[in-house]
């Protein structure tokens, strides 16, 4: 069993301004003790011989290579534009300029 006592839980509850009944303090102490004991068990399983991993399976890059395909000229891009000006798309203003 861990070293989380009812007094520790009561102290933390006072620091956090949480009012707890006697039953809640006892129950929380037991629950925190289980959590701390579980962490201790996991820590025992870790050794310096086993490298840390961020993912259980090796990951590979699935992206394809960037290849330049057909490129439209500015004129071709603007052919079907509803409105163009000075070689650019012209769109309605959405902000009031002051």
């Amino acid at each position: 069993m861990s070293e989380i006592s009812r007094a520790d839980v009561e102290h933390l509850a006072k620091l956090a301004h949480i009012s707890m009944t006697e039953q809640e303090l006892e129950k929380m102490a037991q629950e925190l003790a289980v959590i701390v004991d579980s962490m201790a068990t996991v820590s025992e399983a870790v050794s310096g011989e086993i490298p840390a991993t961020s993912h259980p399976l090796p990951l590979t890059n699935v992206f394809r290579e960037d290849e330049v395909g057909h490129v439209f000229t500015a004129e071709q891009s603007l052919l079907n534009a509803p409105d163009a000006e000075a070689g650019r798309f012209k769109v309605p203003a959405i902000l009031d300029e002051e």
Side-chain angles (χ1 to χ4, degrees):
M1 200 70 174
S2 74
E3 298 179 21
I4 301 290
S5 68
R6 186 203 155 288
D8 293 332
V9 175
E10 184 178 7
H11 177 69
L12 291 172
K14 283 181 183 177
L15 290 175
H17 301 285
I18 299 173
S19 61
M20 298 180 80
T21 65
E22 292 296 320
Q23 293 172 342
E24 290 172 329
L25 290 170
E26 289 296 328
K27 184 177 179 182
M28 185 62 67
Q30 292 172 1
E31 290 176 357
L32 289 173
V34 170
I35 292 169
V36 170
D37 289 341
S38 298
M39 292 301 296
T41 302
V42 170
S43 295
E44 289 173 4
V46 176
S47 78
E49 299 171 5
I50 301 171
T53 58
S54 62
H55 200 278
L57 301 173
L59 300 176
T60 57
N61 187 354
V62 295
F63 297 115
R64 62 176 170 73
E65 290 294 321
D66 289 335
E67 295 176 8
V68 178
H70 177 69
V71 179
F72 290 105
T73 65
E75 293 79 24
Q76 290 172 324
S77 298
L78 294 171
L79 279 176
N80 292 323
D83 200 4
E85 184 178 294
R88 297 183 181 153
F89 292 99
K90 185 174 180 182
V91 296
I94 59 170
L95 302 176
D96 293 330
E97 295 200 25
E98 297 177 18

